[in-house]
Every structure is written in C-alpha cells, then in structure tokens.
Amino acid sequence: LGESLAIGGALQARGLTPGNRVALVVPGVADFIRAFFGVTAAGLVPVPLFPPAQAGDLPTFTRQSRHILDASHAVAVITSADVAPLLDVSAIGSSPVVLTVEELRDGPALASAVPVSIDQPALLQFTSGSTAAPKGVVLTHANIDANCLAIAHGLDLRPDDVGVSWLPLYHDMGLIGMLIAGIHGRVDLVMMSPVQFLKRPT
C-alpha cells in the first residue's frame, strides 16, 4: 500500500489529475501491481498493455501499443527502465510522457487514496488485437464491484481461501478475475509471472 501511495503521489506531483488515463507496460508482476494501484490511488484511470516479451515480436508490440495509447488518450505511460527505450510515443496525438516505476517509487506519497465516485471509470480494458485492432471498454468502479461480487458468489469465496495465478495482468482474467477479485474478497493470493511459469522445467 505504501509503495502504491508513493507512485500515486509522484504522478500527482507531475501534474496528472483525476480522470487522466495512464497506460501500464510493466513486465514484472510486483511492479505492475504497485503501479496499477498507484494509478488508481491517485484517481487516475489505468490502461494495461501487454509488454514486449508477451507480444510475440517487437513490430507487433510497437503497432499495438501505439494504437492503444492513441485510442485511450493516455497522458502518461508507466513502464520499466528496460522497456522504456522500446516505446516510441512521438507520433501519438496525446503525447504521453514515459515514466518508469523506478523513478516514481520515491513519491512524494499520497496521505490517502483520492476519493472517486463509484460510477467513474476505473479501468480501460482493451481486447488482445489477435483478430483486429484492439478495442477498448470503459469499466466503472461499479462494473468491477459487480463483477467481483459475482465471482465471489460463483466460487463460494471464503476468507481462508488462497488464489494462485500465472495469468497475465494485462488480461481481464488475470487482472479482474484473480488480482482485483482476490483483493475484493480479502483472500491471500500467489501471483506468478506467465513468462517465468512457462520457462519452468516440466
């Protein structure tokens, strides 16, 4: 929580205001989670994108990320130091600033999360783009709350349950179905990188 509040405060200190869209291209699971909730804590709207290693190839990553950044009107992109050089935002209309998780960690931290209405956008979720250009869907806090309640009911989720996932966090099943639903249901979670999981010996 403290690290997310620091990231949220750093974004606020850089002039971002509630409702601004902030793209996330963060390969590391722990850093993605910190950044995602930092964006949310600042009242901003996260836009998850797949990182280069999970795009299949660099041209696909470049093409898809440019499209999503432009379509979402993102004003900033949070990424890692190793991915930042691969992001070319010069041709994007909203001219997003590229920031790294590493440079945002020092804050200054928010004292608490910025309050937002339950009907405000909480997340922009884009399709994978496997059959056409990625299409975005605006999800409100109310939408996500209803989804998490339905998941908890369907799974008969209990406080002593433990969730385990290696699903990518830019995907709705990994992000909403596991991470957010698990936190919403107050259960322990074990979150693994899909790349690391696939590389494990069988």
Side-chain angles (χ1 to χ4, degrees), residues 65-189:
S65 60
R66 280 181 182 167
H67 170 78
I68 293 173
L69 291 171
D70 193 39
S72 67
H73 303 290
V75 300
V77 184
I78 300 177
T79 189
S80 59
D82 57 334
V83 173
L86 303 176
L87 286 165
D88 180 9
V89 298
S90 59
I92 296 167
S94 57
S95 302
V97 59
V98 178
L99 305 166
T100 66
V101 176
E102 292 84 358
E103 68 183 294
L104 296 174
R105 283 191 176 122
D106 293 334
L110 296 169
S112 60
V114 173
V116 295
S117 165
I118 195 168
D119 295 318
Q120 290 293 107
L123 170 67
L124 262 64
Q125 186 73 51
F126 277 79
T127 58
S128 65
S130 56
T131 58
K135 296 177 177 62
V137 177
V138 178
L139 299 174
T140 66
H141 291 277
N143 294 149
I144 293 176
D145 179 60
N147 197 350
C148 289
L149 289 172
I151 290 169
H153 177 74
L155 295 177
D156 189 22
L157 206 60
R158 302 178 184 186
D160 58 348
D161 286 339
V162 177
V164 179
S165 176
W166 55 91
L167 293 165
L169 291 173
Y170 60 82
H171 190 280
D172 59 345
M173 283 187 67
L175 180 59
I176 300 173
M178 285 300 302
L179 177 63
I180 298 176
I183 292 172
H184 189 280
R186 300 185 180 184
V187 301
D188 290 334
L189 296 171

Side-chain angles (χ1 to χ4, degrees), residues 27-30 53-54 166 191-201:
V29 171
Q54 294 167 37
W166 55 91
M191 307 295 292
M192 296 180 287
S193 165
V195 175
Q196 291 171 339
F197 179 82
L198 291 172
K199 289 181 179 178
R200 291 178 65 88

